[in-house]
Amino acid sequence: MSLKITGEEFNLLRNYIRKECGITLEDGKEYLVESRFGKLVAETGSGTFGEFYVKVVNSPKEKYRDKIIDAITTNETSWYRDKTPFVIFEEVILPQLFEKFRAGQIAKARIWSVACSTGQEPYSLAMLIREHCEKHPGLVTPSNFEIMCTDISSSALFIAQSGRYDQVSVSRGLPENLKNKYFTQKGRVWLLSDEVKRMITLKKFNLQNSFTGFGSFDVVLCRNVAIYFSEEFKKDLFFRLSKTMKPDSFFFLGSSESISGYSDKFEMKKYGTGVCYRLKK
Amino acid sequence: MEQIMKLFVEATMETFTTMVGLTPDAGEIEDVGHIITPSEICANISLSGDNAQGATTITFAREVAIKVVEGFMGEGMADSDEDLYDALGEIVNIIGGAAKAKLSEMQLKLSLPSVTGGNNYFLSLPKDLPIKKVKFTLEDLGEMNLIVYMKHT
Amino acid sequence: MAILAVDDSRIMRRLISGAIEVLGYDMLEAGNGVEALEVLEKSYEEVDLILLDWNMPEMDGYTALQKIKEDERFKEIPVMMVTTESERENMVKAIQAGAKNYLSKPFTQEDLTSKIAECLGMGFE
């Protein structure tokens, strides 16, 4: 029989997970714990989720926390997944930022990829920035942009840092011309150029923690991250994110996500078939 | 059977979005008779348990199959027909596996996959069982049909 | 520094090879449990990780896993199951038999690469 979780065990575990990992599992998500934690539970030699819980709380925090997080979070990403944010970035945001640079209003444009996973999202933006700078030579160069990237998964960040992608990963949604321009092929491995890699900074970060010291941003992408978060955490997260955003900035969620009910700091704006959020004045 | 078919459709969607790199558009669930005229290529796998037996087939035109496998492999055309059939077999194997996990109470086991192809051939499936079909549009690649039957007591 | 990929589908082994190459490892391959043990006999000292499918002819992955864990020479090599067998009870069974991690199909290439990296202890900072 597959290992089932009782209501009580689920409550114990989800309290622990909420406290230590900032991820909340709502009622009805028992199946998620059963499917994602089966292996972890067995690994600890536990016969039930109750035993597992006891082992986890009696161990040093670091021992299981990362594994639990890795078990819950999925790394599903691809280049330009749901292309619309990147279209908006290229056609609306970059021109606006360039205007601000030219008018002397800003010296640096800052972008935050909240859940960067294996790096496709921030690197996609970096390539678009380079393209735009090339097409509009002059005052603005890639060094006027800063892309901060956070994620909770250590192994995903490791891959992002390496900038090495395989054949399958570069074939999904990455325009051929960008692939050829910014990657070198070595055998069957595609290496992202140093000039693009240099444009991002990576940081292992739990969104439950404070954003003190992060500064403010012109663009924040928080796509497909909030999926596991509770209503209260989402409200808190979007509130704290709104505080990091400059006036006139842009905020992106995943294509199937919505901000309504979670924050009144943003207004939705449509650009073509895409949607993004602007900080209200 | 309707519910079982929905799970196979989900399994197909998951497989294509994660491993072929495209989002199929699923049509309605239709009933079909036991004689099926597949497209040029079909990939098949059986599932069986103590109280259930069934099978699933995905079928497409050869040129669509080739493009699906290119998406799956992330590179140019498979080196040979053998690779093409291996890949299609693996895809139906993954769909079967994902579906059987959703039907975990049936405790199903998968057979090895097989691939059949040609023109003007038919599949004669078990009579007296509901057989379901869903047509998928694979973005701009073309169409694919998913056929499922499952006998369970 | 090598990773042994065991799967009866040549195509699946090719997909897996992409992730292995990205991480800078060499790949050894086998089409079933019997071949896997033969490869280990010859090359176990170089093998840092074994990726094991479950349903294979000759000898399935679960049996192969047990044999690997029984062998003094091979038992310390971490094993990750990469398989369509995704029911909880199979996962638990494999972990209890000594598998370190489990990746069920379908998976994204990024998930595959991250999980292999995780098994090898590759982390950030």
Side-chain angles (χ1 to χ4, degrees):
Chain A
M1 291 309 298
S2 49
L3 194 61
K4 294 270 175 226
I5 194 168
T6 66
E8 199 183 0
E9 288 167 343
F10 180 66
N11 281 326
L12 286 172
L13 270 172
R14 70 168 164 179
N15 284 336
Y16 174 85
I17 291 166
R18 186 178 57 227
K19 220 162 44 100
E20 296 304 326
C21 314
I23 295 167
T24 300
L25 299 165
E26 278 144 306
D27 288 338
K29 292 275 163 77
E30 288 85 340
Y31 75 94
L32 197 73
V33 176
E34 283 169 357
S35 64
R36 300 293 178 94
F37 285 102
K39 64 175 179 70
L40 251 185
V41 171
E43 202 176 59
T44 63
S46 311
T48 65
F49 279 98
E51 277 180 58
F52 172 65
Y53 172 76
V54 169
K55 286 222 166 72
V56 165
V57 297
N58 288 321
S59 302
K61 227 186 263 186
E62 317 78 68
K63 188 160 186 205
Y64 291 111
R65 188 161 160 239
D66 278 359
K67 289 187 186 181
I68 287 174
I69 289 168
D70 275 343
I72 294 180
T73 57
T74 41
N75 301 326
E76 265 195 56
T77 185
S78 76
W79 303 96
Y80 302 97
R81 179 187 181 183
D82 170 32
K83 301 191 168 92
T84 58
F86 301 98
V87 172
I88 297 174
F89 185 75
E90 194 178 354
E91 296 179 2
V92 177
I93 299 177
L94 280 175
Q96 279 191 25
L97 288 173
F98 270 57
E99 263 317 298
K100 287 190 181 173
F101 281 121
R102 286 191 201 111
Q105 286 168 13
I106 55 170
K108 251 203 164 50
R110 302 186 72 236
I111 300 166
W112 183 12
S113 170
V114 172
C116 67
S117 187
T118 46
Q120 274 94 327
E121 180 180 89
Y123 286 138
S124 300
L125 297 173
M127 287 187 274
L128 288 175
I129 289 167
R130 295 197 81 84
E131 289 296 284
H132 204 86
C133 288
E134 233 175 80
K135 286 190 187 108
H136 304 92
L139 180 60
V140 187
T141 68
S143 57
N144 290 106
F145 290 83
E146 208 179 287
I147 305 174
M148 184 176 92
C149 313
T150 53
D151 201 274
I152 207 165
S153 163
S154 192
S155 52
L157 286 168
F158 175 84
I159 292 160
Q161 184 179 48
S162 74
R164 291 166 62 97
Y165 297 95
D166 67 25
Q167 193 61 51
V168 173
S169 303
V170 296
S171 73
R172 305 257 165 94
L174 179 64
E176 194 75 13
N177 64 316
L178 293 183
K179 183 179 88 175
N180 294 327
K181 188 167 176 182
Y182 293 111
F183 288 82
T184 357
Q185 192 178 9
K186 197 168 164 199
R188 290 167 65 229
V189 178
W190 292 80
L191 307 170
L192 185 60
S193 71
D194 283 342
E195 55 190 13
V196 177
K197 282 168 66 179
R198 271 199 290 266
M199 289 175 69
I200 76 169
T201 50
L202 296 163
K203 200 181 178 75
K204 183 169 168 178
F205 185 72
N206 184 328
L207 291 175
Q208 196 191 20
N209 295 333
S210 160
F211 303 157
T212 308
F214 281 10
S216 22
F217 300 93
D218 299 277
V219 185
V220 173
L221 300 101
C222 185
R223 299 161 69 228
N224 307 305
V225 162
I227 307 171
Y228 299 109
F229 297 150
S230 69
E231 311 297 281
E232 312 98 68
F233 187 76
K234 275 187 206 167
K235 285 181 187 162
D236 175 58
L237 175 66
F238 294 144
F239 175 72
R240 289 188 293 126
L241 285 172
S242 72
K243 294 262 158 254
T244 67
M245 298 185 64
K246 295 184 195 170
D248 279 351
S249 52
F250 295 79
F251 182 67
F252 289 94
L253 289 177
S255 56
S256 53
E257 296 177 284
S258 166
I259 210 157
S260 70
Y262 303 114
S263 174
D264 56 4
K265 300 266 185 272
F266 297 92
E267 57 188 5
M268 186 172 84
K269 275 277 193 308
K270 281 195 174 162
Y271 296 100
T273 54
V275 155
C276 77
Y277 298 90
R278 307 295 303 271
L279 199 63
K280 280 186 190 163
K281 300 208 195 298
Chain B
M1 188 60 214
E2 189 83 12
Q3 187 49 30
I4 291 175
M5 188 55 174
K6 282 194 182 139
L7 297 175
F8 272 86
V9 171
E10 260 177 43
T12 306
M13 296 293 291
E14 283 162 18
T15 303
F16 272 71
T17 52
T18 51
M19 299 195 84
V20 181
L22 59 86
T23 308
D25 192 27
E28 295 300 314
I29 297 177
E30 301 168 39
D31 287 303
V32 288
H34 75 282
I35 305 276
I36 308 278
T37 331
S39 306
E40 287 168 301
I41 296 195
C42 57
N44 322 283
I45 199 161
S46 301
L47 303 97
S48 66
D50 287 339
N51 302 313
Q53 287 170 297
T56 185
T57 295
I58 47 175
T59 172
F60 13 38
R62 193 186 166 85
E63 65 195 20
V64 176
I66 290 171
K67 288 187 246 170
V68 165
V69 168
E70 280 179 5
F72 186 67
M73 297 309 296
E75 50 195 334
M77 174 44 196
D79 294 338
S80 63
D81 277 354
E82 213 181 290
D83 280 355
L84 174 66
Y85 306 146
D86 181 351
L88 293 171
E90 187 58 26
I91 291 171
V92 79
N93 176 41
I94 294 169
I95 292 173
K100 91 171 171 75
K102 294 173 195 289
L103 295 163
S104 60
E105 69 284 359
M106 287 187 178
Q107 311 245 305
L108 296 165
K109 289 210 182 312
L110 290 171
S111 69
L112 296 172
S114 69
V115 174
T116 317
N119 293 299
N120 294 324
Y121 67 109
F122 63 89
L123 301 178
S124 175
L125 302 180
K127 281 201 230 179
D128 309 328
L129 274 188
I131 302 175
K132 301 286 181 185
K133 177 181 104 164
V134 167
K135 177 152 66 173
F136 289 86
T137 311
L138 304 175
E139 290 184 8
D140 53 2
L141 259 49
E143 286 175 357
M144 174 179 88
N145 281 314
L146 170 75
I147 295 153
V148 179
Y149 66 86
M150 183 77 59
K151 171 173 148 179
H152 58 118
T153 45
Chain C
M1 288 204 334
I3 297 174
L4 169 59
V6 189
D7 194 304
D8 59 337
S9 160
R10 200 165 83 93
I11 286 292
M12 188 50 59
R13 296 197 308 262
R14 194 145 114 201
L15 270 185
I16 292 173
S17 73
I20 291 175
E21 275 184 63
V22 158
L23 296 172
Y25 278 71
D26 292 324
M27 175 161 126
L28 296 171
E29 35 187 324
N32 59 60
V34 171
E35 282 177 29
L37 291 169
E38 284 167 8
V39 171
L40 284 171
E41 281 288 337
K42 276 209 301 272
S43 316
Y44 69 93
E45 274 154 345
E46 305 159 36
V47 177
D48 289 322
L49 174 64
I50 303 168
L51 302 172
L52 200 41
D53 185 13
W54 194 306
N55 295 318
M56 296 180 291
E58 306 286 339
M59 182 193 290
D60 68 63
Y62 181 71
T63 311
L65 173 62
Q66 290 171 309
K67 292 205 181 288
I68 289 166
K69 292 301 167 186
E70 281 163 16
D71 194 309
E72 281 304 309
R73 301 165 296 167
F74 312 152
K75 68 180 192 187
E76 297 302 318
I77 307 172
V79 177
M80 176 159 82
M81 307 301 292
V82 180
T83 170
T84 52
E85 294 299 318
S86 54
E87 290 90 333
R88 269 78 82 185
E89 66 211 61
N90 289 333
M91 284 197 220
V92 170
K93 194 171 149 181
I95 299 288
Q96 284 176 337
K100 181 171 180 178
N101 211 335
Y102 204 104
L103 179 65
S104 50
K105 301 174 188 175
F107 51 74
T108 60
Q109 203 67 3
E110 290 77 22
D111 267 344
L112 172 68
T113 320
S114 307
K115 283 215 138 148
I116 294 175
E118 194 188 304
C119 278
L120 294 165
M122 293 168 152
F124 181 75
E125 233 94 290

